Amino acid sequence: MLKTVICGIEFKNPVFLAAGVMGETGSALKRIAKNGAGAVCTKSVGLERKEGHKNPTIVEVEGGFLNAMGLPNPGVDEYVEEIERVRNDLKRMNVRIIGSIYGKDEREFAIVAEKIEPYVDMIELNISCPHAGGGYGATIGQNPDLSYKVVESVKDAVKIPVFAKLTPNVTDIKVIAKAVVEAGADGITAINTLGPGMVIDIEARKPILSNKFGGMSGKAIKPIAVKIVYDLYETVDVPIIGVGGITTGKDALEFIMAGASAVQVGTGVYYRGYDIFRKICEEMEVFLKEKNVKLKDLVGCAHD
Ligand code: DHB
């Protein structure tokens, strides 16, 4: 009932694990797969090992979380071994793998993409971490020319579908979306975290996060994400994966009606547990049965 085809790839359902959440090891990916996700997205992986920031890296706020992990990862060569360990199990469960990657420029992105390609079904470009600095993350995704270069270079390097994950922290996301699609992106994932934001511990008289500020996720950012997906659907002609504060089947359906072909869940795992993927699928199915409609007929149906 929820089977979805995106860029020629068949997903058993359109509810995926978002990048950066629970994707640090192969066994974590497998755990999410067992809990009903249609696909799992890895932690963002770079060329070299990166330790990430010191604790605290995450703080709960009203309506969500702020996090600044610092893109911790073991480097692509070691990470692909993690995927390799669980790849057959995921295949047996019919769960696809999306490789989230980052880099400091188009050359680095292309190298990482080439290295991860044999292990994943799709690549997602993290050009949107809001606090990465140093030329990484949103430094790229806030600039249409740099975004274009990264997508073009990765598209030259690999054959599997490439999605660009966009940041909401721009004046006009449509400009960035047009640039990545012109460069050959097969789809867009929207949105990455909002902000960055800051929480100050008034006893300690300093910011709580060791990085001082971080990206906001969770329920509070959902209306912003829905609006962006709605706008992107009218701007570009590629599939959109919606992400931002999804915790229920109703949330997922809002994104689908705005124009998303699939959704990703990140912070929702903290709110509803690992089996949130199965729960969201069940809730979507109840709606589809009740209304006697097919999921694909709802994609973008909120537009006039
Ligand atoms: C991190 C990366 C992100 O893309 C994001 O949205 C939030 C945090 C990180 O690893 O710090």
Side-chain angles (χ1 to χ4, degrees):
M1 193 174 208
L2 293 179
K3 201 158 66 172
T4 302
V5 179
I6 300 171
C7 299
I9 300 172
E10 196 177 288
F11 297 86
K12 66 178 177 182
N13 70 59
V15 186
F16 308 164
L17 173 72
V21 189
M22 307 301 306
E24 262 174 70
T25 62
S27 58
L29 292 174
K30 189 170 156 187
R31 184 172 197 171
I32 298 296
K34 276 187 186 160
N35 278 285
V40 289
C41 189
T42 68
K43 183 94 187 86
S44 294
V45 186
L47 196 51
E48 313 279 354
R49 162 182 289 277
K50 199 164 177 299
E51 290 304 326
H53 296 310
K54 287 203 273 298
N55 281 328
T57 52
I58 185 159
V59 56
E60 188 162 11
V61 296
E62 232 172 283
F65 288 84
L66 288 185
N67 90 86
M69 316 301 287
L71 295 166
N73 78 101
V76 66
D77 291 328
E78 203 177 311
Y79 192 85
V80 293
E81 289 174 26
E82 285 293 322
I83 305 179
E84 188 57 26
R85 249 194 285 285
V86 296
R87 201 146 64 110
N88 286 335
D89 295 330
L90 265 59
K91 202 167 263 173
R92 234 174 285 124
M93 289 184 263
N94 202 14
V95 175
R96 309 273 171 249
I97 305 174
I98 302 170
S100 170
I101 64 169
Y102 74 88
K104 73 169 185 309
D105 54 29
E106 68 274 15
R107 202 187 62 88
E108 211 172 280
F109 263 99
I111 297 170
V112 180
E114 243 174 1
K115 282 175 180 271
I116 208 169
E117 182 181 24
Y119 302 88
V120 298
D121 298 288
M122 230 166 84
I123 286 174
E124 185 177 276
L125 307 174
N126 184 353
I127 52 172
S128 42
C129 172
H131 49 261
Y136 291 86
T139 316
I140 296 170
Q142 287 166 337
N143 178 320
D145 297 332
L146 295 180
S147 299
Y148 184 100
K149 274 191 190 158
V150 166
V151 172
E152 184 186 42
S153 148
V154 171
K155 280 296 291 177
D156 277 347
V158 301
K159 292 199 170 57
I160 59 175
V162 174
F163 274 55
K165 185 166 182 181
L166 301 191
T167 174
N169 313 313
V170 287
T171 312
D172 187 356
I173 198 166
K174 299 195 267 326
V175 173
I176 309 292
K178 282 182 194 157
V180 297
V181 171
E182 213 174 287
D186 299 284
I188 288 176
T189 307
I191 57 176
N192 205 323
T193 51
L194 189 66
M198 179 183 281
V199 180
I200 291 174
D201 176 343
I202 60 168
E203 297 301 329
R205 304 182 185 188
K206 61 183 182 69
I208 289 183
L209 294 176
S210 78
N211 184 58
K212 298 191 171 71
F213 52 87
M216 175 139 178
S217 65
K219 294 176 190 184
I221 75 166
K222 195 192 75 178
I224 293 163
V226 170
K227 163 74 161 64
I228 284 175
V229 169
Y230 188 93
D231 287 348
L232 292 179
Y233 186 77
E234 297 195 344
T235 306
V236 292
D237 201 13
V238 294
I240 301 163
I241 300 178
V243 51
I246 295 168
T247 60
T248 66
K250 281 185 184 161
D251 294 339
L253 286 163
E254 271 192 69
F255 278 83
I256 303 278
M257 291 182 187
S261 298
V263 297
Q264 292 179 347
V265 176
T267 305
V269 176
Y270 296 101
Y271 294 127
R272 289 185 86 188
Y274 291 112
D275 61 344
I276 184 169
F277 302 93
R278 192 163 288 122
K279 289 175 184 161
I280 290 179
C281 286
E282 284 167 7
E283 289 157 2
M284 289 171 81
E285 279 174 347
V286 168
F287 182 91
L288 296 179
K289 273 191 203 132
E290 221 174 76
K291 311 286 182 201
N292 193 24
V293 284
K294 291 199 168 64
L295 186 69
K296 68 172 171 34
D297 295 330
L298 294 182
V299 174
C301 75
H303 296 257
D304 305 323

